[in-house]
Amino acid sequence: MISAVHEDEKARGSAPYALTETEHGHIWGVCAEVEGLFGESQRGTYELFGWVPEETGVAGWVGSRVWLVPEDETFDAWLLEDAESLGQPPGTDSLVLTGLDDYEGPPEGYRGRVRVHDGHRWLGSCREFTRILSPEQIPASIVLRGLAPSDQLRAALAKGTRRALDLEEAALEIRDGQGELLTDRLLWATISAWRPSSCGPDLIDLELDGGRFTPVPEYAGSIWERWLAGPPAAVNTWAGLDTRRRGAWHDLVRERACRRSHRDRPAGHPYELDGRYITDEPALYLALGEAVNGPGGYFGGCLAALDDCLRGTFGYTAPATLLWRDAATAREHLSHALTPDGQPYDLFTTALETLAEGGMDVTLA
């Protein structure tokens, strides 16, 4: 008979997934399989009227991070993640664009002219836009299959009242094949159903309301499968991925790093960076992370985070040296970038300046 789960590290590491109460860290249960972890979030849909591509052939894109920049500079640009152009409806001069709005979304009250860029090039402009309200998606349930419940969870299920079945805010902790905490996902754990599980005696399949849960994008599924097996053993395991999947890879690198302590090397340590695959911004930070902290290592994900790492406890102590091999690749792909509001800048040079200010003496090869 499977005993109740106790709040200790042994219990936390006994299965890949643990449903944990966030306030006190109590574990409601652990299981080996979760259904509903991957899916599509509610996407914003925009119609851009009077769309004019910036260049011939720049009419659509898939998976880009794009910024919409109001012509009126008193309004801020906003980001659309995982953007996709759906093309131009027949007989119109519009472009339909979908994506995941950032936390701010479009400026309140502004519907005028905007220009659109992807961080590297201008894609086009429109005279005005509207945000189309999509029907609210019904959140998919999250099912914890083969869950070994704690005594507290058994008591809540036995009571069965609405109040007892509302477990309130919880975290779905996710561990890799080596038992290390990889990441977690917050959710409001309201139990909608439960049943005996076919996975074994005294186990249950627990169904939770999917409201307030942000699923992992479907395209990141293969990345997660790779990391759930354990951290990479070699550098550049991400090299064959496209930009958005490199971004998904870096998300896990960052989340894992935030939960680990780093052993700082002494000052003067020599580092070496393999620059062959730095063809986009995620690759820059993936390569830097592996140069400093080895395969799957983290060392920033933007210029501000890189600066923090140079002055923090992320495996580095100034001063040090860095031999950047094949630097011409990054120079070619990162020298012509755009800020969110569309101002040109040289990301390659700015990264070098940030490293230098942090005590890293870089030699380009």
Side-chain angles (χ1 to χ4, degrees):
M1 178 176 180
I2 296 179
S3 61
V5 179
H6 300 288
E7 295 180 8
D8 55 26
E9 287 304 311
K10 183 177 180 181
R12 290 176 185 270
S14 62
Y17 303 99
L19 185 66
T20 305
E21 188 264 343
T22 54
E23 186 175 358
H24 304 292
H26 163 70
I27 300 176
W28 293 110
V30 298
C31 65
E33 181 182 350
V34 175
E35 181 181 303
L37 179 61
F38 298 93
E40 294 298 332
S41 298
Q42 184 82 27
R43 295 174 68 84
T45 302
Y46 293 82
E47 186 167 0
L48 311 180
F49 300 102
W51 172 254
V52 179
E54 195 75 15
E55 301 174 8
T56 302
V58 185
W61 54 92
V62 176
S64 298
R65 301 173 80 236
V66 303
W67 281 262
L68 291 90
V69 184
E71 183 180 63
D72 185 339
E73 295 181 357
T74 62
F75 293 93
D76 293 331
W78 75 99
L79 175 64
L80 211 56
E81 297 268 12
D82 193 28
E84 180 177 356
S85 154
L86 301 184
Q88 295 186 265
T92 75
D93 62 358
S94 303
L95 181 78
V96 178
L97 174 66
T98 73
L100 303 175
D101 287 300
D102 66 7
Y103 67 96
E104 291 184 343
E108 185 69 30
Y110 184 79
R111 294 293 180 268
R113 183 178 297 276
V114 296
R115 295 183 73 192
V116 181
H117 72 80
D118 64 0
H120 300 282
R121 60 178 181 173
W122 288 103
L123 301 171
S125 62
C126 68
R127 65 175 181 270
E128 60 180 321
F129 72 93
T130 185
R131 190 177 190 279
I132 303 168
L133 297 178
S134 303
E136 280 295 316
Q137 295 178 351
I138 299 175
S141 297
I142 301 161
V143 182
L144 309 182
R145 297 201 179 279
L147 185 79
S150 67
D151 287 339
Q152 290 91 332
L153 180 56
R154 290 183 186 277
L157 296 176
K159 195 169 185 179
T161 63
R162 179 180 297 179
R163 183 177 180 84
L165 297 181
D166 184 358
L167 307 183
E168 301 185 343
E169 187 178 74
L172 182 63
E173 295 185 348
I174 303 169
R175 293 181 178 269
D176 64 23
Q178 299 179 5
E180 290 191 32
L181 182 61
L182 177 59
T183 184
D184 61 29
R185 285 295 183 270
L186 293 178
L187 68 157
W188 196 264
T190 301
I191 299 171
S192 53
W194 71 95
R195 64 192 69 86
S197 176
S198 60
C199 297
D202 297 305
L203 302 180
I204 63 173
D205 293 340
L206 186 73
E207 184 174 324
L208 303 175
D209 187 337
R212 297 174 65 178
F213 175 74
T214 302
V216 179
E218 294 281 4
Y219 67 79
S222 60
I223 308 300
W224 278 59
E225 288 178 7
R226 173 62 188 82
W227 273 91
L228 286 171
V235 299
N236 298 327
T237 307
W238 48 266
L241 302 173
D242 61 17
T243 297
R244 68 172 174 172
R245 287 176 174 81
R246 287 178 175 184
W249 183 283
H250 187 271
D251 287 343
L252 289 178
V253 167
R254 182 189 64 250
E255 292 180 28
R256 176 174 176 267
C258 291
R259 293 166 172 81
R260 292 165 53 88
S261 59
H262 295 76
R263 180 177 62 84
D264 290 340
R265 294 177 178 82
H269 185 84
Y271 299 96
E272 186 171 323
L273 185 150
D274 183 352
R276 289 176 294 167
Y277 307 106
I278 303 180
T279 57
D280 50 31
E281 187 171 358
L284 170 65
Y285 297 109
L286 289 171
L288 279 170
E290 294 188 329
V292 176
N293 288 310
Y298 174 79
F299 204 68
C302 64
L303 291 171
L306 174 59
D307 185 69
D308 288 342
C309 288
L310 287 163
R311 289 163 173 74
T313 55
F314 284 88
Y316 166 80
T317 302
T321 61
L322 175 69
L323 175 60
W324 188 326
R325 297 193 179 278
D326 294 288
T329 301
R331 186 188 298 276
E332 175 187 354
H333 289 89
L334 303 182
S335 292
H336 303 286
L338 297 172
T339 63
D341 62 358
Q343 298 302 310
Y345 77 107
D346 185 337
L347 175 56
F348 176 70
T349 298
T350 306
L352 289 176
E353 292 171 349
T354 302
L355 290 169
E357 290 168 2
M360 186 82 85
D361 183 12
V362 181
T363 299
L364 304 180

